[in-house]
Amino acid sequence: MSQSQDFIYLSPPHMGGQEQRYVQEAFDQNWITTAGANVDGFETELAQYLQAPAAAALSSGTAALHLALLALGVGSGDEVFCSTFTFVASANPILYVGATPVFIDSEPNTWNLCPLTLEKALIDRKQKGKLPKALMLVHLYGMPAKMREIVEITQHYGVPIIEDTAEALGSRFHGQLLGTFGAIGAFSFNGNKIITTSGGGALISADNQLVKKAKWLAQQAKDDKPFYHHSTVGFNYGLSNISAGIGRGQLQVLEERIEQRRAIFNNYKNLLQNIEEIEWHEEPKGFFSNRWLSCFTTKKGSKISPEDLRLALLKENIEVRRLWQPMHRQPLFQGAESFGGEVSEDLFARGLCLPSGSALSLTDQERIADVISKAFLA
Ligand SMILES: Cc1ncc(COP(=O)(O)O)c(C=O)c1O
């Protein structure tokens, strides 16, 4: 291991400069709680950015997905279709509400949910007489899913979409921001995301009532009475006013962060253009990724596996990650039904995410590309 070289993290936070000012204001006003001017400001500014009527600021992206399911009335006895190729946080909330996940495979271009497999699964359920209560649709690594087909199919069957946009804030499909296609869009501001609140999340909807309901559930579902009165299970899922202050500063630099991450992806491509075994995660025409993480797969039959690369990079103090292991392969979801699965399994076998933090220097990008080149050319 090269002890002298600094460790390069996969996707560390990158402050813009104004965050501490908002945090200081919260201290000055003594609003050290889950309400205050930063929570209100963050919700308004996020909704403005997304051109949504309202947003609810929450303690995590996972909480946002959980509340999205509840706001849509998903519960025990319901099925929820879910992208199999994702992080477990997309699927766990389906279990929280007592529903049953049914996993849908990816298609190989965007790596996201395959519209053809989705249609097959919906036809199957229609024939069996019960449609899923919702579709948990994930946009991985910033890449938009094939929204035209997916929206058309789900509208045809009347199944609402929850867009898990945790990794894709600022990404666009033919100019429209992700998170605004579904009944509800959910976001994460975890420390590794394109912008962060240290930990946090949010949800938006074109239907103000859904946002109101989610916020109400996030604040212990107190009934409208002058005393504590509860008729529904509630949660404590509000975002802290301190964290929201960080988020307000971060929102100001979001577009810059997207440009920086996109430049990193292009630079990796350029630096590694001679390595024929690498296939980059390319945007189809009209798809605009925030490039949260720069990812590639190795060509089928490549002598070098993603695990070989991961170990070679780790030896040089560089953190990389394998692509997500699909949900239908997880022991947690053993026995769950899955439509297809081969595409996501293949992506898992061949894919890697490179360090993509927006403050990553050109020298570090070269250092990373160098290790990769050497591994392939050895
Ligand atoms: C696809 C996806 N969904 C959901 C989440 C959950 O977000 P959080 O960590 O804020 O709970 C994450 C990230 O952590 C994610 O990558």
Side-chain angles (χ1 to χ4, degrees), residues 136-156:
M136 183 68 79
L137 173 71
V138 191
H139 305 285
L140 284 183
Y141 308 116
M143 184 66 76
K146 291 191 168 171
M147 293 314 291
R148 189 165 293 151
E149 293 95 324
I150 292 169
V151 166
E152 202 179 293
I153 296 162
T154 49
Q155 274 179 355
H156 178 77

Side-chain angles (χ1 to χ4, degrees), residues 49 169-172 177 194-195 250-262 288 290:
Y49 174 79
L169 176 63
S171 298
R172 291 168 168 83
L177 282 157
I194 192 153
I195 60 167
Q250 288 273 278
L251 266 179
Q252 292 175 5
V253 292
L254 173 57
E255 287 301 311
E256 200 183 316
R257 297 291 175 263
I258 294 171
E259 274 171 39
Q260 288 161 328
R261 290 203 186 230
R262 288 178 62 83
F288 177 89
N290 69 8

Side-chain angles (χ1 to χ4, degrees), residues 60-63 65 86-87 89-90 138 140 164 166-167 188-190 192-193 200 292 324:
S60 69
T62 311
L65 295 171
T86 188
F87 180 46
S90 313
V138 191
L140 284 183
D164 180 347
E167 302 179 2
S188 166
F189 303 106
N190 188 19
N192 66 2
K193 294 299 182 290
W292 172 56
W324 301 121

